[in-house]
Amino acid sequence: MREPSRRDFLKLGLGAGAFAFAGCGREPPRRDALAPPASTVTVPGIARDDAPPSTPPLSPTPKPVPPQSRGERLLLPGTPSETILTMEFSGKAGPVLMVLGGVHGNEPGGWLAAEEVASWPPAAGGLIVLPRANRIAVANFVRTTEELGDLNRLYPGSPESPLPMGRLAAEIVAAAREFNVDVVLDLHESWAFYNGRSQNGTAFLGQTVTTGIGPRNPSLGRDIIARVNGNISVERDLLVERDGSAFRSDPTLGAPGPGQSQRGRSSLSLGGHVEGLTPILVEMGQKDQPIARRTELHLQVARAAMELLGIA
Ligand SMILES: [Zn+2]
């Protein structure tokens, strides 16, 4: 276990966009700001004869490695929905995992687990956690309200959205791009269990792990399920795989009109908005499953994801 340093305890209460890394005081280079490999650089007006511009790079541009740092950022700063995003980078190369809790306020297993995950230091790569995404809904223990909007039906969101959750969706997408997030785990609860369901619907998604479109579909969700199910002895409680690639949304389509399906605007659509990202939606069943057990299973899913990504 590493020695906690002074910078571990630095709390940076800065507004969105103003976050400074405790480690070095500058933001990491963004993926889209990286210089292309030297072999593909062309200078206008200067002919190159050693490598034609059309030559593809031999290997993908490596991702930047943010310096070791721990900090916080406020999303929707200065508003009633202001909420804390925690982030920790190990200083070592590796994937970046983002964990969302409290997207729906009456699903406590998700936000209780996310709050604990926020204290886990990644051994490689990085870990970004938004424990109470819809902070007002969590405080009032309701799914959400009409005035707040449903975050899980509003991706990719917009800074101009009249709904606070529409603006939050845009800030989550922006953070995922800024920090090159590889995987999003969105922790939810449903009522009944998916296995043995009497009908389909969002009330019958308990114990499911759904992987959206992205480079790690379907392998990561499948591997998480295998790992966690190895610890579950009751058949009813076993996690079930769902394919979320149909939940892809087309960012050019804009907001769906009245009566149109919004299923393409859940967190499972994030892979269509952030290059290289794979979203995974986790639902635990509330029916006859104590809150401590639901929270524990969410923690096991998060732990398995970190181990499989090589950042635990
Ligand atoms: Zn939910």
Side-chain angles (χ1 to χ4, degrees):
M1 201 165 143
R2 67 180 170 81
E3 284 271 319
S5 66
R6 189 182 63 85
R7 71 173 65 129
D8 288 323
F9 302 104
L10 262 176
K11 299 291 183 190
L12 299 172
L14 303 176
F19 175 79
F21 272 81
C24 71
R26 66 176 173 84
E27 294 195 336
R30 296 164 62 115
R31 180 184 286 158
D32 57 7
L34 285 176
S39 66
T40 63
V41 169
T42 55
V43 180
I46 299 178
R48 290 177 58 96
D49 56 8
D50 54 340
S54 59
T55 303
L58 292 175
S59 59
T61 309
K63 275 173 51 167
V65 180
Q68 187 190 343
S69 60
R70 178 175 174 82
E72 293 179 351
R73 170 186 288 187
L74 295 177
L75 302 188
L76 300 176
T79 75
S81 292
E82 176 181 282
T83 187
I84 296 172
L85 180 75
T86 71
M87 43 194 120
E88 180 156 359
F89 292 93
S90 62
K92 295 175 189 152
V96 176
L97 173 67
M98 177 186 268
V99 177
L100 304 179
V103 169
H104 295 138
N106 59 351
E107 300 171 10
W111 44 262
L112 289 170
E115 281 179 343
E116 188 166 334
V117 172
S119 69
W120 294 353
L127 178 62
I128 298 176
V129 186
L130 186 61
R132 297 184 176 218
N134 190 337
R135 197 177 63 81
I136 296 174
V138 168
N140 293 298
F141 213 82
V142 293
R143 177 181 170 91
T144 186
T145 65
E146 211 170 304
E147 295 73 32
L148 292 166
D150 187 341
L151 175 57
N152 214 31
R153 299 289 182 275
L154 289 167
Y155 289 103
S158 162
E160 278 82 45
S161 171
L163 299 170
M165 291 304 110
R167 299 196 293 277
L168 184 62
E171 292 196 17
I172 290 170
V173 168
R177 289 180 181 145
E178 178 180 349
F179 297 108
N180 296 316
V181 169
D182 294 275
V183 174
V184 167
L185 275 185
D186 190 5
L187 306 182
H188 287 253
E189 294 186 334
S190 183
W191 173 244
F193 286 49
Y194 186 73
N195 264 347
R197 64 195 179 281
S198 54
Q199 55 179 286
N200 286 321
T202 54
F204 297 87
L205 291 177
Q207 315 305 97
T208 59
V209 174
T210 309
T211 306
I213 200 81
R216 295 172 198 271
N217 177 323
S219 58
L220 183 59
R222 199 166 280 173
D223 292 346
I224 289 171
I225 290 169
R227 191 162 289 216
V228 175
N229 279 353
N231 301 327
I232 296 177
S233 51
V234 182
E235 195 176 338
R236 183 195 84 143
D237 297 354
L238 292 172
L239 303 184
V240 181
E241 178 187 0
R242 289 176 72 237
D243 178 16
S245 47
F247 292 76
R248 175 180 216 162
S249 78
D250 181 346
T252 63
L253 292 178
Q260 286 184 300
S261 169
Q262 295 192 314
R263 71 178 200 157
R265 302 176 70 84
S266 79
S267 61
L268 288 171
S269 72
L270 278 168
H273 303 301
V274 183
E275 184 198 340
L277 186 152
T278 304
I280 297 180
L281 182 75
V282 186
E283 299 264 9
M284 295 302 166
Q286 294 179 331
K287 190 182 178 188
D288 302 326
Q289 181 165 240
I291 185 170
R293 175 66 171 162
R294 281 132 54 189
T295 307
E296 167 60 23
L297 288 175
H298 273 309
L299 289 170
Q300 286 195 29
V301 166
R303 175 61 64 186
M306 288 182 71
E307 288 171 357
L308 290 160
L309 290 170
I311 64 170

